[in-house]
Amino acid sequence: MTKVQMKANDNGPLLIKGEIELLDGEGSIIPTKESTYICRCGQSGNMPFCNGAHKGNFESAVRASK
């Protein structure tokens, strides 16, 4: 199995690198690419994908616990 990487970008979307299967609430497949940007702010006009609407309107810097 190929490893998939997911990164919470500072003040922006989740970046998922690798082959994923993304499903909607009814279980239907939503097409993705090798790099998929998922909205975290809820402002995108292209949900569940990021369209950049967060810029200047969303702050989040996720850090691993030490």
Side-chain angles (χ1 to χ4, degrees):
M1 180 190 285
T2 304
K3 191 173 191 176
V4 174
Q5 182 183 62
M6 184 164 60
K7 178 184 177 191
N9 288 313
D10 288 352
N11 307 319
L14 293 174
L15 169 58
I16 304 171
K17 289 185 177 183
E19 186 176 335
I20 63 169
E21 184 174 69
L22 181 61
L23 306 176
D24 69 11
E26 296 177 337
S28 298
I29 295 174
I30 300 172
T32 61
K33 299 179 180 179
E34 182 66 24
S35 291
T36 302
Y37 293 86
I38 301 294
C39 177
R40 290 198 298 147
C41 73
Q43 300 177 58
S44 176
N46 189 30
M47 292 297 283
F49 305 107
C50 177
N51 71 351
H54 64 273
K55 293 186 183 192
N57 299 307
F58 179 71
E59 290 184 21
S60 177
V62 177
R63 296 295 182 263
S65 299
K66 295 182 180 183

